[in-house]
mmCIF file of all heavy atoms in Angstrom:
data_model
loop_
_atom_site.group_PDB
_atom_site.id
_atom_site.type_symbol
_atom_site.label_atom_id
_atom_site.label_comp_id
_atom_site.label_asym_id
_atom_site.label_seq_id
_atom_site.Cartn_x
_atom_site.Cartn_y
_atom_site.Cartn_z
ATOM 1 N N ALA A 52 80.408 16.059 51.581
ATOM 2 C CA ALA A 52 79.408 15.467 52.578
ATOM 3 C C ALA A 52 80.233 14.319 53.442
ATOM 4 O O ALA A 52 80.007 14.229 54.524
ATOM 5 C CB ALA A 52 78.187 14.960 51.884
ATOM 6 N N GLU A 53 81.070 13.605 52.680
ATOM 7 C CA GLU A 53 81.678 12.423 53.308
ATOM 8 C C GLU A 53 82.607 12.942 54.384
ATOM 9 O O GLU A 53 82.949 12.309 55.360
ATOM 10 C CB GLU A 53 82.402 11.548 52.299
ATOM 11 C CG GLU A 53 81.589 10.751 51.407
ATOM 12 C CD GLU A 53 82.202 10.069 50.335
ATOM 13 O OE1 GLU A 53 83.431 9.960 50.391
ATOM 14 O OE2 GLU A 53 81.588 9.517 49.440
ATOM 15 N N ARG A 54 83.192 14.138 54.158
ATOM 16 C CA ARG A 54 84.169 14.724 55.057
ATOM 17 C C ARG A 54 83.501 15.476 56.261
ATOM 18 O O ARG A 54 84.160 15.858 57.218
ATOM 19 C CB ARG A 54 85.144 15.645 54.393
ATOM 20 C CG ARG A 54 86.000 14.931 53.404
ATOM 21 C CD ARG A 54 87.099 15.912 52.821
ATOM 22 N NE ARG A 54 86.777 17.338 52.693
ATOM 23 C CZ ARG A 54 86.735 17.896 51.484
ATOM 24 N NH1 ARG A 54 86.882 17.161 50.475
ATOM 25 N NH2 ARG A 54 86.497 19.214 51.384
ATOM 26 N N GLY A 55 82.126 15.590 56.171
ATOM 27 C CA GLY A 55 81.415 16.424 57.139
ATOM 28 C C GLY A 55 81.318 15.673 58.435
ATOM 29 O O GLY A 55 81.481 14.475 58.577
ATOM 30 N N SER A 56 81.123 16.440 59.409
ATOM 31 C CA SER A 56 80.936 15.831 60.850
ATOM 32 C C SER A 56 79.760 16.479 61.397
ATOM 33 O O SER A 56 79.628 17.712 61.636
ATOM 34 C CB SER A 56 82.181 16.197 61.602
ATOM 35 O OG SER A 56 81.867 16.057 63.017
ATOM 36 N N ARG A 57 78.771 15.717 61.835
ATOM 37 C CA ARG A 57 77.607 16.136 62.575
ATOM 38 C C ARG A 57 77.997 16.812 63.811
ATOM 39 O O ARG A 57 77.337 17.783 64.133
ATOM 40 C CB ARG A 57 76.604 14.909 62.705
ATOM 41 C CG ARG A 57 75.280 15.371 63.370
ATOM 42 C CD ARG A 57 74.249 14.346 63.282
ATOM 43 N NE ARG A 57 73.047 14.741 63.762
ATOM 44 C CZ ARG A 57 72.071 15.578 63.078
ATOM 45 N NH1 ARG A 57 72.446 15.972 61.994
ATOM 46 N NH2 ARG A 57 71.002 15.861 63.726
ATOM 47 N N ASN A 58 78.902 16.310 64.536
ATOM 48 C CA ASN A 58 79.282 16.857 65.832
ATOM 49 C C ASN A 58 79.838 18.242 65.590
ATOM 50 O O ASN A 58 79.497 19.120 66.308
ATOM 51 C CB ASN A 58 80.265 16.012 66.584
ATOM 52 C CG ASN A 58 79.665 14.752 67.074
ATOM 53 O OD1 ASN A 58 78.451 14.609 67.264
ATOM 54 N ND2 ASN A 58 80.501 13.705 67.207
ATOM 55 N N LYS A 59 80.649 18.520 64.622
ATOM 56 C CA LYS A 59 81.152 19.792 64.364
ATOM 57 C C LYS A 59 80.088 20.779 63.966
ATOM 58 O O LYS A 59 80.060 21.967 64.288
ATOM 59 C CB LYS A 59 82.207 19.761 63.233
ATOM 60 C CG LYS A 59 83.611 19.226 63.748
ATOM 61 C CD LYS A 59 84.601 19.135 62.613
ATOM 62 C CE LYS A 59 85.800 18.452 63.087
ATOM 63 N NZ LYS A 59 86.800 18.437 61.995
ATOM 64 N N PHE A 60 79.099 20.245 63.180
ATOM 65 C CA PHE A 60 77.963 20.990 62.672
ATOM 66 C C PHE A 60 77.211 21.501 64.079
ATOM 67 O O PHE A 60 76.839 22.670 64.052
ATOM 68 C CB PHE A 60 77.179 20.265 61.779
ATOM 69 C CG PHE A 60 75.828 20.881 61.347
ATOM 70 C CD1 PHE A 60 75.830 22.096 60.495
ATOM 71 C CD2 PHE A 60 74.570 20.483 61.769
ATOM 72 C CE1 PHE A 60 74.666 22.671 60.114
ATOM 73 C CE2 PHE A 60 73.406 21.157 61.459
ATOM 74 C CZ PHE A 60 73.401 22.151 60.581
ATOM 75 N N ILE A 61 76.900 20.582 64.879
ATOM 76 C CA ILE A 61 76.154 20.851 66.099
ATOM 77 C C ILE A 61 76.902 21.858 66.915
ATOM 78 O O ILE A 61 76.325 22.885 67.520
ATOM 79 C CB ILE A 61 75.797 19.638 66.890
ATOM 80 C CG1 ILE A 61 74.982 18.650 66.056
ATOM 81 C CG2 ILE A 61 75.193 19.965 68.252
ATOM 82 C CD1 ILE A 61 73.610 19.083 65.721
ATOM 83 N N ALA A 62 78.244 21.761 66.988
ATOM 84 C CA ALA A 62 79.027 22.805 67.782
ATOM 85 C C ALA A 62 79.030 24.096 67.197
ATOM 86 O O ALA A 62 78.842 25.044 67.954
ATOM 87 C CB ALA A 62 80.499 22.199 67.743
#
Side-chain angles (χ1 to χ4, degrees):
E53 287 176 14
R54 296 192 321 250
S56 163
R57 182 165 182 79
N58 291 335
K59 288 180 182 178
F60 175 70
I61 299 297

